């Protein structure tokens, strides 16, 4: 909950919410390293960071078109 609150208060992050295995954030260009640094500085442990693709991006990849 603390990670979600902190992320939602950071400028440049569109949204953050809990998922079944952690927190999902829409960074909107914010460097992931900046988010990790802010979380760690707030005393929140970060086990891993991984990109999550949107359904639209997966579909476009499957049909052979690049996402613009």
């Amino acid at each position: 909950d603390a990670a979600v609150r902190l992320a939602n208060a950071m400028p440049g992050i569109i949204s953050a919410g809990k998922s079944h295995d952690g927190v999902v954030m829409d960074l909107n260009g914010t460097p992931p390293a900046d988010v990790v640094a802010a979380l760690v500085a707030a005393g929140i442990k970060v086990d891993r960071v991984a990109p999550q693709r949107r359904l639209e991006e997966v579909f476009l990849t499957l049909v052979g078109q690049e996402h613009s």
Side-chain angles (χ1 to χ4, degrees):
D1 291 332
V4 171
R5 282 193 303 273
L6 178 66
N8 281 319
M10 291 181 67
I13 295 181
I14 294 174
S15 65
K18 293 167 81 173
S19 72
H20 68 281
D21 62 348
V23 176
V24 176
M25 299 179 193
D26 186 347
L27 302 183
N28 193 33
T30 301
D34 292 354
V35 178
V36 171
L39 291 169
V40 171
I44 299 168
K45 294 181 181 180
V46 177
D47 292 328
R48 64 188 160 105
V49 177
Q52 183 177 28
R53 295 172 61 187
R54 292 187 174 115
L55 184 58
E56 177 183 322
E57 293 167 342
V58 173
F59 174 76
L60 292 174
T61 300
L62 289 173
V63 297
Q65 298 177 11
E66 290 187 19
H67 180 64
S68 55

Tab-separated table of all heavy atoms in Angstrom:
chain	number	residue	atom	x	y	z
A	1	ASP	N	0.817	-1.197	0.000
A	1	ASP	CA	0.000	0.000	0.000
A	1	ASP	C	0.863	1.264	0.000
A	1	ASP	O	0.543	2.238	-0.656
A	1	ASP	CB	-0.935	0.014	1.201
A	1	ASP	CG	-2.025	-1.055	1.102
A	1	ASP	OD1	-2.406	-1.437	-0.016
A	1	ASP	OD2	-2.494	-1.498	2.170
A	2	ALA	N	1.969	1.222	0.744
A	2	ALA	CA	2.858	2.389	0.807
A	2	ALA	C	3.494	2.670	-0.550
A	2	ALA	O	3.613	3.828	-0.947
A	2	ALA	CB	3.937	2.174	1.866
A	3	ALA	N	3.850	1.625	-1.276
A	3	ALA	CA	4.454	1.808	-2.599
A	3	ALA	C	3.462	2.445	-3.565
A	3	ALA	O	3.814	3.323	-4.354
A	3	ALA	CB	4.951	0.477	-3.149
A	4	VAL	N	2.222	2.017	-3.501
A	4	VAL	CA	1.176	2.576	-4.368
A	4	VAL	C	0.946	4.048	-4.042
A	4	VAL	O	0.874	4.887	-4.940
A	4	VAL	CB	-0.134	1.762	-4.246
A	4	VAL	CG1	-1.273	2.454	-4.971
A	4	VAL	CG2	0.062	0.354	-4.778
A	5	ARG	N	0.848	4.370	-2.756
A	5	ARG	CA	0.632	5.766	-2.359
A	5	ARG	C	1.795	6.645	-2.822
A	5	ARG	O	1.585	7.731	-3.364
A	5	ARG	CB	0.462	5.872	-0.839
A	5	ARG	CG	-0.892	5.461	-0.337
A	5	ARG	CD	-1.115	5.870	1.111
A	5	ARG	NE	-0.096	5.318	2.007
A	5	ARG	CZ	-0.158	4.122	2.586
A	5	ARG	NH1	-1.187	3.346	2.357
A	5	ARG	NH2	0.801	3.712	3.390
A	6	LEU	N	3.020	6.180	-2.598
A	6	LEU	CA	4.193	6.954	-2.986
A	6	LEU	C	4.236	7.150	-4.493
A	6	LEU	O	4.444	8.266	-4.978
A	6	LEU	CB	5.477	6.264	-2.515
A	6	LEU	CG	6.773	6.960	-2.904
A	6	LEU	CD1	6.898	8.305	-2.204
A	6	LEU	CD2	7.964	6.086	-2.585
A	7	ALA	N	4.033	6.095	-5.250
A	7	ALA	CA	4.087	6.188	-6.711
A	7	ALA	C	3.011	7.124	-7.247
A	7	ALA	O	3.273	7.927	-8.147
A	7	ALA	CB	3.953	4.803	-7.338
A	8	ASN	N	1.812	7.027	-6.704
A	8	ASN	CA	0.734	7.903	-7.175
A	8	ASN	C	0.983	9.363	-6.849
A	8	ASN	O	0.424	10.251	-7.490
A	8	ASN	CB	-0.614	7.447	-6.620
A	8	ASN	CG	-1.184	6.278	-7.378
A	8	ASN	OD1	-1.118	6.225	-8.607
A	8	ASN	ND2	-1.739	5.318	-6.670
A	9	ALA	N	1.840	9.636	-5.886
A	9	ALA	CA	2.171	11.016	-5.529
A	9	ALA	C	3.354	11.560	-6.333
A	9	ALA	O	3.597	12.762	-6.322
A	9	ALA	CB	2.491	11.106	-4.039
A	10	MET	N	4.060	10.700	-7.046
A	10	MET	CA	5.226	11.138	-7.807
A	10	MET	C	4.799	11.791	-9.117
A	10	MET	O	3.928	11.272	-9.821
A	10	MET	CB	6.144	9.950	-8.118
A	10	MET	CG	6.845	9.390	-6.901
A	10	MET	SD	7.945	8.011	-7.313
A	10	MET	CE	9.193	8.873	-8.267
A	11	PRO	N	5.418	12.922	-9.474
A	11	PRO	CA	5.105	13.541	-10.762
A	11	PRO	C	5.582	12.646	-11.897
A	11	PRO	O	6.620	11.996	-11.790
A	11	PRO	CB	5.887	14.857	-10.726
A	11	PRO	CG	6.931	14.675	-9.682
A	11	PRO	CD	6.417	13.655	-8.715
A	12	GLY	N	4.818	12.596	-12.955
A	12	GLY	CA	5.199	11.817	-14.127
A	12	GLY	C	4.661	10.404	-14.140
A	12	GLY	O	4.674	9.756	-15.170
A	13	ILE	N	4.173	9.917	-13.023
A	13	ILE	CA	3.595	8.577	-12.999
A	13	ILE	C	2.089	8.715	-13.170
A	13	ILE	O	1.429	9.429	-12.421
A	13	ILE	CB	3.941	7.833	-11.689
A	13	ILE	CG1	5.450	7.598	-11.636
A	13	ILE	CG2	3.175	6.525	-11.600
A	13	ILE	CD1	5.916	6.851	-10.421
A	14	ILE	N	1.576	8.056	-14.196
A	14	ILE	CA	0.154	8.164	-14.506
A	14	ILE	C	-0.690	7.427	-13.483
A	14	ILE	O	-1.699	7.941	-13.010
A	14	ILE	CB	-0.138	7.626	-15.923
A	14	ILE	CG1	0.533	8.520	-16.956
A	14	ILE	CG2	-1.629	7.522	-16.183
A	14	ILE	CD1	0.440	8.011	-18.364
A	15	SER	N	-0.277	6.206	-13.141
A	15	SER	CA	-1.062	5.435	-12.184
A	15	SER	C	-0.202	4.349	-11.550
A	15	SER	O	0.808	3.943	-12.108
A	15	SER	CB	-2.278	4.795	-12.863
A	15	SER	OG	-1.846	3.844	-13.823
A	16	ALA	N	-0.637	3.890	-10.405
A	16	ALA	CA	-0.009	2.771	-9.714
A	16	ALA	C	-1.096	2.025	-8.964
A	16	ALA	O	-2.011	2.639	-8.423
A	16	ALA	CB	1.066	3.260	-8.746
A	17	GLY	N	-0.998	0.718	-8.970
A	17	GLY	CA	-1.988	-0.083	-8.261
A	17	GLY	C	-1.426	-1.451	-7.927
A	17	GLY	O	-0.429	-1.887	-8.493
A	18	LYS	N	-2.074	-2.120	-7.006
A	18	LYS	CA	-1.645	-3.449	-6.592
A	18	LYS	C	-2.050	-4.485	-7.634
A	18	LYS	O	-3.097	-4.371	-8.262
A	18	LYS	CB	-2.265	-3.795	-5.245
A	18	LYS	CG	-1.751	-2.922	-4.108
A	18	LYS	CD	-2.575	-3.048	-2.862
A	18	LYS	CE	-2.214	-4.266	-2.058
A	18	LYS	NZ	-2.914	-4.292	-0.749
A	19	SER	N	-1.191	-5.484	-7.806
A	19	SER	CA	-1.516	-6.635	-8.650
A	19	SER	C	-1.361	-7.887	-7.804
A	19	SER	O	-1.015	-7.797	-6.622
A	19	SER	CB	-0.590	-6.680	-9.867
A	19	SER	OG	0.716	-7.059	-9.483
A	20	HIS	N	-1.569	-9.029	-8.403
A	20	HIS	CA	-1.498	-10.271	-7.625
A	20	HIS	C	-0.100	-10.563	-7.088
A	20	HIS	O	0.046	-11.268	-6.108
A	20	HIS	CB	-2.005	-11.454	-8.461
A	20	HIS	CG	-1.126	-11.807	-9.617
A	20	HIS	ND1	-1.137	-11.090	-10.797
A	20	HIS	CD2	-0.203	-12.774	-9.768
A	20	HIS	CE1	-0.254	-11.618	-11.616
A	20	HIS	NE2	0.328	-12.628	-11.027
A	21	ASP	N	0.939	-9.997	-7.711
A	21	ASP	CA	2.291	-10.289	-7.245
A	21	ASP	C	3.132	-9.041	-6.977
A	21	ASP	O	4.350	-9.102	-6.908
A	21	ASP	CB	3.007	-11.201	-8.223
A	21	ASP	CG	3.171	-10.586	-9.603
A	21	ASP	OD1	2.553	-9.557	-9.879
A	21	ASP	OD2	3.939	-11.146	-10.408
A	22	GLY	N	2.493	-7.883	-6.836
A	22	GLY	CA	3.260	-6.676	-6.548
A	22	GLY	C	2.495	-5.419	-6.877
A	22	GLY	O	1.305	-5.314	-6.628
A	23	VAL	N	3.210	-4.483	-7.481
A	23	VAL	CA	2.635	-3.191	-7.844
A	23	VAL	C	2.881	-2.962	-9.328
A	23	VAL	O	3.980	-3.189	-9.826
A	23	VAL	CB	3.285	-2.046	-7.022
A	23	VAL	CG1	2.762	-0.697	-7.459
A	23	VAL	CG2	3.036	-2.256	-5.538
A	24	VAL	N	1.861	-2.511	-10.028
A	24	VAL	CA	1.967	-2.177	-11.450
A	24	VAL	C	1.865	-0.672	-11.576
A	24	VAL	O	0.970	-0.053	-11.001
A	24	VAL	CB	0.846	-2.859	-12.269
A	24	VAL	CG1	0.907	-2.431	-13.718
A	24	VAL	CG2	0.939	-4.367	-12.150
A	25	MET	N	2.820	-0.084	-12.330
A	25	MET	CA	2.845	1.370	-12.500
A	25	MET	C	2.921	1.730	-13.969
A	25	MET	O	3.602	1.069	-14.736
A	25	MET	CB	4.075	1.957	-11.798
A	25	MET	CG	4.129	1.721	-10.332
A	25	MET	SD	5.639	2.440	-9.648
A	25	MET	CE	5.635	1.704	-8.036
A	26	ASP	N	2.233	2.790	-14.340
A	26	ASP	CA	2.362	3.381	-15.677
A	26	ASP	C	3.273	4.583	-15.508
A	26	ASP	O	2.861	5.617	-14.991
A	26	ASP	CB	0.998	3.788	-16.216
A	26	ASP	CG	1.063	4.269	-17.660
A	26	ASP	OD1	2.179	4.528	-18.160
A	26	ASP	OD2	-0.006	4.388	-18.272
A	27	LEU	N	4.543	4.427	-15.905
A	27	LEU	CA	5.556	5.438	-15.627
A	27	LEU	C	5.545	6.615	-16.584
A	27	LEU	O	6.134	7.650	-16.278
A	27	LEU	CB	6.949	4.786	-15.636
A	27	LEU	CG	7.149	3.640	-14.660
A	27	LEU	CD1	8.585	3.143	-14.734
A	27	LEU	CD2	6.785	4.030	-13.254
A	28	ASN	N	4.948	6.478	-17.753
A	28	ASN	CA	4.844	7.585	-18.701
A	28	ASN	C	6.186	8.270	-18.958
A	28	ASN	O	6.297	9.488	-18.946
A	28	ASN	CB	3.810	8.609	-18.221
A	28	ASN	CG	3.443	9.610	-19.307
A	28	ASN	OD1	3.423	9.260	-20.483
A	28	ASN	ND2	3.158	10.833	-18.929
A	29	GLY	N	7.234	7.463	-19.123
A	29	GLY	CA	8.544	8.023	-19.429
A	29	GLY	C	9.424	8.284	-18.222
A	29	GLY	O	10.605	8.584	-18.362
A	30	THR	N	8.880	8.193	-17.022
A	30	THR	CA	9.699	8.356	-15.824
A	30	THR	C	10.690	7.196	-15.756
A	30	THR	O	10.287	6.046	-15.890
A	30	THR	CB	8.821	8.347	-14.552
A	30	THR	OG1	7.874	9.405	-14.647
A	30	THR	CG2	9.655	8.510	-13.300
A	31	PRO	N	11.966	7.464	-15.579
A	31	PRO	CA	12.936	6.364	-15.527
A	31	PRO	C	12.646	5.419	-14.361
A	31	PRO	O	12.442	5.874	-13.223
A	31	PRO	CB	14.280	7.077	-15.318
A	31	PRO	CG	14.056	8.469	-15.811
A	31	PRO	CD	12.613	8.772	-15.507
A	32	PRO	N	12.624	4.115	-14.631
A	32	PRO	CA	12.377	3.154	-13.550
A	32	PRO	C	13.368	3.313	-12.397
A	32	PRO	O	12.997	3.134	-11.236
A	32	PRO	CB	12.542	1.793	-14.234
A	32	PRO	CG	12.221	2.070	-15.667
A	32	PRO	CD	12.726	3.457	-15.927
A	33	ALA	N	14.608	3.670	-12.689
A	33	ALA	CA	15.609	3.845	-11.632
A	33	ALA	C	15.198	4.948	-10.655
A	33	ALA	O	15.457	4.845	-9.451
A	33	ALA	CB	16.969	4.159	-12.234
A	34	ASP	N	14.546	5.995	-11.143
A	34	ASP	CA	14.075	7.073	-10.270
A	34	ASP	C	12.985	6.579	-9.324
A	34	ASP	O	12.943	6.950	-8.153
A	34	ASP	CB	13.542	8.252	-11.084
A	34	ASP	CG	14.627	8.989	-11.856
A	34	ASP	OD1	15.827	8.669	-11.679
A	34	ASP	OD2	14.264	9.884	-12.640
A	35	VAL	N	12.109	5.738	-9.852
A	35	VAL	CA	11.022	5.202	-9.033
A	35	VAL	C	11.602	4.262	-7.973
A	35	VAL	O	11.236	4.333	-6.801
A	35	VAL	CB	9.982	4.471	-9.908
A	35	VAL	CG1	8.887	3.867	-9.047
A	35	VAL	CG2	9.388	5.429	-10.937
A	36	VAL	N	12.523	3.392	-8.386
A	36	VAL	CA	13.140	2.468	-7.432
A	36	VAL	C	13.869	3.248	-6.342
A	36	VAL	O	13.748	2.939	-5.155
A	36	VAL	CB	14.094	1.492	-8.151
A	36	VAL	CG1	14.911	0.689	-7.151
A	36	VAL	CG2	13.314	0.562	-9.070
A	37	ALA	N	14.606	4.278	-6.730
A	37	ALA	CA	15.337	5.086	-5.748
A	37	ALA	C	14.379	5.728	-4.744
A	37	ALA	O	14.659	5.753	-3.541
A	37	ALA	CB	16.163	6.159	-6.458
A	38	ALA	N	13.245	6.236	-5.217
A	38	ALA	CA	12.271	6.856	-4.325
A	38	ALA	C	11.660	5.827	-3.373
A	38	ALA	O	11.468	6.108	-2.181
A	38	ALA	CB	11.170	7.545	-5.129
A	39	LEU	N	11.370	4.648	-3.885
A	39	LEU	CA	10.805	3.599	-3.037
A	39	LEU	C	11.795	3.175	-1.960
A	39	LEU	O	11.437	3.061	-0.785
A	39	LEU	CB	10.399	2.392	-3.894
A	39	LEU	CG	9.216	2.599	-4.838
A	39	LEU	CD1	9.092	1.433	-5.796
A	39	LEU	CD2	7.924	2.806	-4.065
A	40	VAL	N	13.044	2.953	-2.357
A	40	VAL	CA	14.070	2.535	-1.397
A	40	VAL	C	14.320	3.631	-0.362
A	40	VAL	O	14.443	3.356	0.832
A	40	VAL	CB	15.368	2.131	-2.133
A	40	VAL	CG1	16.512	1.911	-1.158
A	40	VAL	CG2	15.134	0.872	-2.969
A	41	ALA	N	14.357	4.880	-0.809
A	41	ALA	CA	14.561	6.000	0.122
A	41	ALA	C	13.434	6.081	1.148
A	41	ALA	O	13.651	6.534	2.275
A	41	ALA	CB	14.677	7.310	-0.652
A	42	ALA	N	12.251	5.614	0.758
A	42	ALA	CA	11.105	5.629	1.673
A	42	ALA	C	11.050	4.376	2.540
A	42	ALA	O	10.106	4.185	3.304
A	42	ALA	CB	9.807	5.772	0.872
A	43	GLY	N	12.065	3.520	2.405
A	43	GLY	CA	12.113	2.311	3.218
A	43	GLY	C	11.315	1.146	2.669
A	43	GLY	O	11.045	0.181	3.375
A	44	ILE	N	10.948	1.217	1.392
A	44	ILE	CA	10.172	0.151	0.759
A	44	ILE	C	11.138	-0.750	0.000
A	44	ILE	O	11.912	-0.282	-0.837
A	44	ILE	CB	9.111	0.740	-0.193
A	44	ILE	CG1	8.156	1.621	0.608
A	44	ILE	CG2	8.371	-0.365	-0.928
A	44	ILE	CD1	7.257	2.488	-0.253
A	45	LYS	N	11.106	-2.042	0.292
A	45	LYS	CA	11.993	-2.999	-0.365
A	45	LYS	C	11.504	-3.266	-1.789
A	45	LYS	O	10.309	-3.414	-2.033
A	45	LYS	CB	12.047	-4.305	0.408
A	45	LYS	CG	12.688	-4.157	1.768
A	45	LYS	CD	12.730	-5.486	2.484
A	45	LYS	CE	13.353	-5.315	3.860
A	45	LYS	NZ	13.417	-6.579	4.589
A	46	VAL	N	12.454	-3.320	-2.710
A	46	VAL	CA	12.149	-3.622	-4.114
A	46	VAL	C	12.863	-4.923	-4.460
A	46	VAL	O	14.091	-4.991	-4.411
A	46	VAL	CB	12.609	-2.475	-5.044
A	46	VAL	CG1	12.340	-2.835	-6.499
A	46	VAL	CG2	11.927	-1.174	-4.669
A	47	ASP	N	12.097	-5.951	-4.793
A	47	ASP	CA	12.683	-7.245	-5.130
A	47	ASP	C	13.050	-7.359	-6.599
A	47	ASP	O	14.047	-7.958	-6.946
A	47	ASP	CB	11.714	-8.386	-4.792
A	47	ASP	CG	11.517	-8.551	-3.297
A	47	ASP	OD1	12.461	-8.286	-2.538
A	47	ASP	OD2	10.408	-8.948	-2.888
A	48	ARG	N	12.215	-6.789	-7.462
A	48	ARG	CA	12.491	-6.851	-8.900
A	48	ARG	C	11.676	-5.799	-9.626
A	48	ARG	O	10.663	-5.323	-9.128
A	48	ARG	CB	12.184	-8.229	-9.470
A	48	ARG	CG	10.746	-8.635	-9.397
A	48	ARG	CD	10.564	-10.097	-9.817
A	48	ARG	NE	9.307	-10.587	-9.315
A	48	ARG	CZ	8.232	-10.780	-10.075
A	48	ARG	NH1	8.301	-10.558	-11.362
A	48	ARG	NH2	7.125	-11.211	-9.554
A	49	VAL	N	12.161	-5.467	-10.804
A	49	VAL	CA	11.491	-4.507	-11.675
A	49	VAL	C	11.434	-5.142	-13.061
A	49	VAL	O	12.441	-5.631	-13.562
A	49	VAL	CB	12.264	-3.169	-11.737
A	49	VAL	CG1	11.608	-2.207	-12.708
A	49	VAL	CG2	12.391	-2.556	-10.354
A	50	ALA	N	10.267	-5.139	-13.667
A	50	ALA	CA	10.113	-5.738	-14.988
A	50	ALA	C	9.071	-4.963	-15.778
A	50	ALA	O	8.085	-4.492	-15.219
A	50	ALA	CB	9.677	-7.194	-14.863
A	51	PRO	N	9.283	-4.840	-17.083
A	51	PRO	CA	8.268	-4.154	-17.900
A	51	PRO	C	7.031	-5.028	-18.057
A	51	PRO	O	7.110	-6.254	-18.012
A	51	PRO	CB	8.969	-3.962	-19.246
A	51	PRO	CG	9.980	-5.060	-19.300
A	51	PRO	CD	10.413	-5.290	-17.870
A	52	GLN	N	5.915	-4.379	-18.214
A	52	GLN	CA	4.669	-5.090	-18.472
A	52	GLN	C	4.093	-4.529	-19.756
A	52	GLN	O	3.859	-3.321	-19.866
A	52	GLN	CB	3.680	-4.912	-17.326
A	52	GLN	CG	2.415	-5.688	-17.535
A	52	GLN	CD	1.462	-5.559	-16.364
A	52	GLN	OE1	1.468	-4.563	-15.661
A	52	GLN	NE2	0.654	-6.561	-16.151
A	53	ARG	N	3.854	-5.393	-20.707
A	53	ARG	CA	3.329	-4.943	-21.994
A	53	ARG	C	1.811	-4.823	-21.930
A	53	ARG	O	1.138	-5.588	-21.277
A	53	ARG	CB	3.742	-5.921	-23.082
A	53	ARG	CG	5.248	-5.934	-23.255
A	53	ARG	CD	5.720	-7.010	-24.161
A	53	ARG	NE	5.165	-6.846	-25.490
A	53	ARG	CZ	5.318	-7.734	-26.451
A	53	ARG	NH1	6.011	-8.817	-26.244
A	53	ARG	NH2	4.781	-7.535	-27.637
A	54	ARG	N	1.321	-3.846	-22.657
A	54	ARG	CA	-0.129	-3.650	-22.750
A	54	ARG	C	-0.691	-4.601	-23.797
A	54	ARG	O	-0.010	-5.014	-24.719
A	54	ARG	CB	-0.435	-2.208	-23.143
A	54	ARG	CG	-0.065	-1.225	-22.065
A	54	ARG	CD	-0.548	0.170	-22.446
A	54	ARG	NE	-0.309	1.076	-21.349
A	54	ARG	CZ	0.529	2.106	-21.414
A	54	ARG	NH1	1.189	2.369	-22.515
A	54	ARG	NH2	0.698	2.886	-20.372
A	55	LEU	N	-1.951	-4.925	-23.652
A	55	LEU	CA	-2.608	-5.840	-24.568
A	55	LEU	C	-2.492	-5.362	-26.014
A	55	LEU	O	-2.254	-6.149	-26.925
A	55	LEU	CB	-4.075	-6.018	-24.172
A	55	LEU	CG	-4.878	-7.024	-24.989
A	55	LEU	CD1	-4.241	-8.403	-24.938
A	55	LEU	CD2	-6.302	-7.091	-24.465
A	56	GLU	N	-2.623	-4.059	-26.233
A	56	GLU	CA	-2.518	-3.512	-27.585
A	56	GLU	C	-1.138	-3.786	-28.178
A	56	GLU	O	-1.019	-4.158	-29.339
A	56	GLU	CB	-2.781	-2.011	-27.576
A	56	GLU	CG	-2.612	-1.357	-28.942
A	56	GLU	CD	-2.804	0.144	-28.884
A	56	GLU	OE1	-3.682	0.624	-28.149
A	56	GLU	OE2	-2.057	0.831	-29.602
A	57	GLU	N	-0.085	-3.630	-27.385
A	57	GLU	CA	1.267	-3.879	-27.876
A	57	GLU	C	1.467	-5.353	-28.225
A	57	GLU	O	2.095	-5.683	-29.226
A	57	GLU	CB	2.293	-3.445	-26.832
A	57	GLU	CG	2.311	-1.942	-26.607
A	57	GLU	CD	3.086	-1.534	-25.370
A	57	GLU	OE1	3.322	-2.395	-24.491
A	57	GLU	OE2	3.453	-0.355	-25.280
A	58	VAL	N	0.922	-6.247	-27.411
A	58	VAL	CA	1.023	-7.676	-27.683
A	58	VAL	C	0.298	-8.000	-28.985
A	58	VAL	O	0.828	-8.708	-29.845
A	58	VAL	CB	0.435	-8.499	-26.515
A	58	VAL	CG1	0.375	-9.983	-26.876
A	58	VAL	CG2	1.254	-8.286	-25.255
A	59	PHE	N	-0.894	-7.467	-29.172
A	59	PHE	CA	-1.657	-7.714	-30.391
A	59	PHE	C	-0.899	-7.235	-31.626
A	59	PHE	O	-0.780	-7.957	-32.613
A	59	PHE	CB	-3.026	-7.023	-30.310
A	59	PHE	CG	-3.808	-7.109	-31.597
A	59	PHE	CD1	-4.441	-8.279	-31.957
A	59	PHE	CD2	-3.886	-6.027	-32.452
A	59	PHE	CE1	-5.143	-8.381	-33.139
A	59	PHE	CE2	-4.580	-6.106	-33.637
A	59	PHE	CZ	-5.225	-7.292	-33.988
A	60	LEU	N	-0.381	-6.010	-31.569
A	60	LEU	CA	0.338	-5.462	-32.719
A	60	LEU	C	1.592	-6.286	-33.030
A	60	LEU	O	1.936	-6.470	-34.203
A	60	LEU	CB	0.688	-3.996	-32.488
A	60	LEU	CG	-0.504	-3.044	-32.455
A	60	LEU	CD1	-0.064	-1.634	-32.076
A	60	LEU	CD2	-1.236	-3.027	-33.785
A	61	THR	N	2.247	-6.790	-32.026
A	61	THR	CA	3.397	-7.647	-32.238
A	61	THR	C	2.985	-8.943	-32.921
A	61	THR	O	3.623	-9.405	-33.868
A	61	THR	CB	4.108	-7.955	-30.904
A	61	THR	OG1	4.544	-6.736	-30.334
A	61	THR	CG2	5.296	-8.883	-31.109
A	62	LEU	N	1.873	-9.496	-32.479
A	62	LEU	CA	1.382	-10.749	-33.056
A	62	LEU	C	0.980	-10.594	-34.517
A	62	LEU	O	1.177	-11.513	-35.315
A	62	LEU	CB	0.209	-11.300	-32.243
A	62	LEU	CG	0.557	-11.845	-30.873
A	62	LEU	CD1	-0.720	-12.204	-30.109
A	62	LEU	CD2	1.453	-13.078	-30.992
A	63	VAL	N	0.416	-9.466	-34.889
A	63	VAL	CA	-0.010	-9.260	-36.276
A	63	VAL	C	1.093	-8.638	-37.123
A	63	VAL	O	0.882	-8.349	-38.292
A	63	VAL	CB	-1.322	-8.440	-36.375
A	63	VAL	CG1	-2.458	-9.183	-35.708
A	63	VAL	CG2	-1.160	-7.051	-35.821
A	64	GLY	N	2.259	-8.398	-36.534
A	64	GLY	CA	3.410	-7.948	-37.292
A	64	GLY	C	3.512	-6.463	-37.525
A	64	GLY	O	4.181	-6.021	-38.451
A	65	GLN	N	2.863	-5.648	-36.715
A	65	GLN	CA	2.947	-4.208	-36.856
A	65	GLN	C	3.642	-3.625	-35.637
A	65	GLN	O	3.475	-4.117	-34.529
A	65	GLN	CB	1.554	-3.578	-36.980
A	65	GLN	CG	0.806	-4.038	-38.185
A	65	GLN	CD	-0.580	-3.445	-38.241
A	65	GLN	OE1	-0.906	-2.529	-37.466
A	65	GLN	NE2	-1.409	-3.930	-39.126
A	66	GLU	N	4.408	-2.567	-35.848
A	66	GLU	CA	5.056	-1.894	-34.726
A	66	GLU	C	4.093	-0.923	-34.095
A	66	GLU	O	3.279	-0.300	-34.764
A	66	GLU	CB	6.298	-1.153	-35.192
A	66	GLU	CG	7.410	-2.087	-35.598
A	66	GLU	CD	8.691	-1.339	-35.897
A	66	GLU	OE1	8.824	-0.185	-35.456
A	66	GLU	OE2	9.545	-1.910	-36.558
A	67	HIS	N	4.209	-0.776	-32.788
A	67	HIS	CA	3.407	0.191	-32.041
A	67	HIS	C	4.018	1.565	-32.211
A	67	HIS	O	5.206	1.756	-32.057
A	67	HIS	CB	3.370	-0.192	-30.558
A	67	HIS	CG	2.571	0.726	-29.705
A	67	HIS	ND1	1.218	0.885	-29.869
A	67	HIS	CD2	2.925	1.552	-28.700
A	67	HIS	CE1	0.795	1.753	-28.972
A	67	HIS	NE2	1.816	2.181	-28.253
A	68	SER	N	3.229	2.557	-32.559
A	68	SER	CA	3.769	3.919	-32.738
A	68	SER	C	3.540	4.759	-31.531
A	68	SER	O	2.775	4.518	-30.678
A	68	SER	CB	3.147	4.578	-33.946
A	68	SER	OG	1.747	4.580	-33.857
